[in-house]
Amino acid sequence: MSGVTAQGTDRLGAWERLSAAPLTVLSVVFLVVYAVPILYPDLSPAGRAACAATTVAVWLLFWADIVVRLWLATDRRRFVREHLFDFVVLALPMLRPLRAVRLIMIVLTINRRTEVWARGRLAVYVAATTALLVLVSALAVLDAERPAPDSNIVAFDDALWWSTVTITTVGYGDFYPVTMTGRFVALGLMIGGIGLIGFVTGSLATWIVERVSAGVDKPSAATSEDVAALRSEIVALRQRLDADERQTG
């Protein structure tokens, strides 16, 4: 039974390694076709239809991936429990008010790949994650706010500025969302900003503690020299004792 379980785990791991890069590319494609109609509101109907069709195709491929992983999993109930959030996001209907929520899956997929690429490089990982959150949030809030009659976020540069000051928890208040979807995006961005700050602070504290501990545990140069000198004196003393014993003998 354990052999079957190990084989299933290997198959699942092999599929995840094989699909990691294509899923990342699909996430980027999804982000592009999501952004184009927002950045270009005068896009032709044919262009909008192409973006919508690509969105549906990518979403179906994401469904196919999670179905394959579920089929390869040895403990499918556990797989569902561990990936319940992914199932919920994928199950959301393709409606305009929920478009911002669907970006969560894209952010998670790209972020997981970034973590693998930048492992051991805190600055690279944090910079990539921050840039991704700022960009996605700016697009999502502009998509939600621009149609609102009393909105003050009507251009991408305004949305980008709002996203930047929000994730840094500065919040000047010159731009703010007025729709429910926009406020939901703001809530997620603020939580993400606080989480990033906590992650950086915790990682920096851990690094400092490790450096201090390594300095305490490592013997100093003076101590090493003292030990070497003591060994030399012991060897000389032993040689002298041997010489005295030979003379008396």
Side-chain angles (χ1 to χ4, degrees):
M1 185 67 180
S2 59
V4 175
T5 303
Q7 183 180 4
T9 304
D10 293 341
R11 291 171 60 191
L12 178 59
W15 171 261
E16 290 178 344
R17 289 190 298 272
L18 181 65
S19 62
L23 286 178
T24 303
V25 174
L26 288 175
S27 299
V28 175
V29 171
F30 185 95
L31 191 58
V32 170
V33 297
Y34 174 84
V36 167
I38 299 174
L39 297 178
Y40 301 97
D42 297 330
L43 188 67
S44 65
R48 290 186 176 275
C51 290
T54 305
T55 300
V56 174
V58 172
W59 208 248
L60 291 176
L61 290 174
F62 272 106
W63 261 114
D65 168 69
I66 202 167
V67 169
V68 170
R69 286 192 290 151
L70 176 61
W71 178 67
L72 292 176
T74 53
D75 190 346
R76 293 174 181 172
R77 291 184 178 180
R78 181 180 178 183
F79 180 87
V80 172
R81 289 196 304 267
E82 293 178 348
H83 298 81
L84 184 60
F85 184 74
D86 294 348
F87 279 103
V88 171
V89 174
L90 283 172
L92 290 174
M94 306 290 283
L95 298 177
R96 180 181 176 84
L98 298 176
R99 290 178 70 187
V101 180
R102 288 182 287 150
L103 286 173
I104 296 175
M105 176 64 70
I106 308 305
V107 173
L108 291 177
T109 302
I110 298 178
N111 189 54
R112 280 196 292 264
R113 193 61 181 169
T114 304
E115 183 179 4
V116 173
W117 284 335
R119 185 166 296 166
R121 305 175 187 175
L122 177 62
V124 175
Y125 175 71
V126 172
T129 303
T130 303
L132 181 62
L133 283 176
V134 168
L135 176 61
V136 168
S137 300
L139 291 171
V141 78
L142 181 60
D143 185 34
E145 294 293 309
R146 187 160 48 194
D150 53 347
S151 172
N152 56 84
I153 303 177
V154 294
F156 181 66
D157 55 346
D158 297 337
L160 200 59
W161 171 253
W162 169 85
S163 183
T164 303
V165 298
T166 302
I167 197 173
T168 56
T169 67
V170 175
Y172 285 115
D174 48 352
F175 296 105
Y176 52 89
V178 297
T179 64
M180 184 61 66
T181 303
R183 290 172 179 172
F184 178 81
V185 173
L187 177 62
L189 186 58
M190 286 184 283
I191 294 174
I194 295 173
L196 280 174
I197 293 174
F199 175 76
V200 173
T201 303
S203 300
L204 182 60
T206 302
W207 179 79
I208 292 175
V209 170
E210 289 177 351
R211 296 286 293 182
V212 172
S213 299
V216 172
D217 296 337
K218 183 179 179 180
S220 62
T223 303
S224 300
E225 292 176 359
D226 291 342
V227 171
L230 182 59
R231 287 179 176 175
S232 299
E233 292 179 3
I234 292 174
V235 171
L237 182 60
R238 182 176 297 172
Q239 292 175 351
R240 185 173 180 179
L241 290 174
D242 292 341
D244 291 343
E245 288 178 0
R246 286 195 297 268
Q247 290 177 0
T248 57

